[in-house]
Amino acid sequence: MPDTLLVTGGAGYVGSHCVRALLDAGHRVVVFDNLRQGHRAAVAPEAELEVGDLADKAAVGRVFARHRIDAILHFAGNIQVGESMRRPFLYLGDNVQCAVNLLEAAAEHGVRRFVLSSTCAIFGAPERVPIDEDVSIAPGSAYGESKYLIERILRWADEVHGIRYACLRYFNAAGAHPDLPLFEDHEPETHLIPLALDCALGKRPAMQVFGDDYPTPDGTCVRDYVHVCDLADAHVKVLDLIRDRSRSFNVGIGRGYSVREVLAAVARVTGTTFPVDVSPRRAGDLAQLVADPARIMTELGWRPRFADIDAIVASAWRWRRRYPRGYADLATGM
Ligand code: UDP
């Protein structure tokens, strides 16, 4: 029997790629999304879309009443580190309350499995890099803290209601589906690779590098860019594991690239050059975030198929070049 999976934020970037992978693995998928950040066109036609807000407890309850949900994958939320340092309570309030609303309904309807889209931003002061799961958790931003609070709440959902969970702490989700028109399209866009692709397209005049005085080889921040389809694969695999027990995994490829290296990859892949200016550091940013993926590789047999920054950038460039305005162009059949 295929499982029926509830995917919150399934019209968003990582969520939509996961929905595709879950459908391909033979599951039935119900997407719950308010479509404020997400895109209707990103939801696979085989999935059932319920438009609603997690802040609305009655709407959440109706979804559980309509569908017999076997497991939940929770992607919906506010996700910008920079914004969270300007509006901390949006994150510490809304992100957490929405997760609690979802868990309350899950407990009431006997759902026993829950996968959280978590983040490496919970490791704000890593005592070692690469970062394994035993590195001390000390979020460096209100965004990271909001995800960590949800991780803590899940412990009690397990203890009290027997909800087994997986926390997948993504490093930097990047790239786009290699075959289908699924991609990253945020408004406003704040992420490095899509902004650089817009510079390559001439939509933006220049890239800003946020700080070049970090203690890294070229002074710019180092991140572990993991392809969104590899992340999706981790979700599919972890659903089975958490039938027995709850588990947390750091999900990255285990190799870091600096901001300047990423910009060089974008220039190579797109065959363009664009101006790069240095601006001040962005609040909440850390010098180096690179995963040690040994645990997820061993316990889940997970292996990233995209291990090279050029391949990751190329997958995103394919769709960005074709649909420069993202889903707005896709919807009008441009
Ligand atoms: N970054 C940058 N200029 C930009 C956007 C991002 O220098 O216009 C840097 C940012 O400071 C971070 C890295 O690129 O070091 C990745 O940032 P992004 O927002 O893509 O992801 P995050 O690491 O914040 O999740």
Side-chain angles (χ1 to χ4, degrees), residues 40-317:
R40 195 177 282 274
V43 179
E46 307 96 298
E48 196 163 332
L49 172 62
E50 297 268 9
V51 179
D53 204 299
L54 286 171
D56 178 354
K57 275 174 117 171
V60 176
R62 283 196 294 277
V63 170
F64 283 88
R66 268 201 292 274
H67 306 275
R68 223 196 56 78
I69 303 295
D70 297 296
I72 297 168
L73 297 101
H74 178 43
F75 297 92
N78 302 299
I79 56 156
Q80 292 174 34
V81 170
E83 181 188 53
S84 82
M85 300 304 282
R86 295 188 301 274
R87 302 179 64 193
F89 306 125
L90 176 66
Y91 286 73
L92 300 168
D94 287 16
N95 276 5
V96 174
Q97 187 60 56
C98 287
V100 169
N101 291 351
L102 184 60
L103 280 164
E104 242 184 318
E108 202 176 305
H109 290 83
V111 181
R112 290 284 174 273
R113 284 179 291 157
F114 191 104
V115 181
L116 174 68
S117 166
S118 188
T119 172
C120 63
I122 65 172
F123 300 109
E127 61 266 25
R128 57 182 176 274
V129 180
I131 301 170
D132 58 65
E133 290 79 359
D134 297 324
V135 163
S136 318
I137 294 175
S141 63
Y143 164 65
E145 186 74 63
S146 75
K147 290 288 185 175
Y148 184 49
L149 289 171
I150 301 170
E151 289 201 4
R152 301 273 308 167
I153 289 164
L154 282 169
R155 281 192 47 217
W156 300 105
D158 183 339
E159 174 109 7
V160 178
H161 294 292
I163 297 176
R164 306 283 181 248
Y165 63 87
C167 299
L168 297 182
R169 287 110 173 222
Y170 315 156
F171 281 62
N172 284 56
H177 199 288
D179 309 312
L180 301 168
L182 290 177
F183 40 78
E184 185 165 15
D185 181 359
H186 295 115
E187 183 50 47
E189 188 54 76
T190 62
H191 293 106
L192 180 65
I193 293 175
L195 288 176
L197 293 179
D198 279 353
C199 288
L201 282 170
K203 287 179 62 185
R204 282 173 192 271
M207 262 323 275
Q208 302 298 320
V209 173
F210 298 144
D212 67 350
D213 56 350
Y214 284 96
T216 59
D218 68 14
T220 67
C221 291
V222 171
R223 295 286 180 274
D224 181 330
Y225 294 86
V226 52
H227 195 273
V228 65
C229 290
D230 286 325
L231 283 180
D233 180 46
H235 290 76
V236 173
K237 290 192 159 80
V238 87
L239 274 173
D240 259 338
L241 184 89
I242 58 170
R243 286 180 196 281
D244 306 325
R245 62 191 175 130
S246 298
R247 212 71 183 114
S248 296
F249 295 105
N250 294 352
V251 199
I253 69 169
R255 147 132 217 223
Y257 292 93
S258 73
V259 172
R260 285 204 187 279
E261 286 174 319
V262 172
L263 296 180
V266 171
R268 262 192 315 273
V269 167
T270 61
T272 60
T273 51
F274 42 84
V276 173
D277 301 326
V278 177
S279 42
R281 291 181 175 198
R282 184 173 69 177
D285 273 346
L286 297 166
Q288 257 197 82
L289 290 169
V290 177
D292 176 350
R295 182 190 282 182
I296 190 165
M297 286 180 153
T298 310
E299 293 189 22
L300 275 191
W302 178 81
R303 294 282 177 283
R305 287 188 306 140
F306 291 80
D308 171 76
I309 193 70
D310 284 36
I312 291 175
V313 169
S315 70
W317 176 234

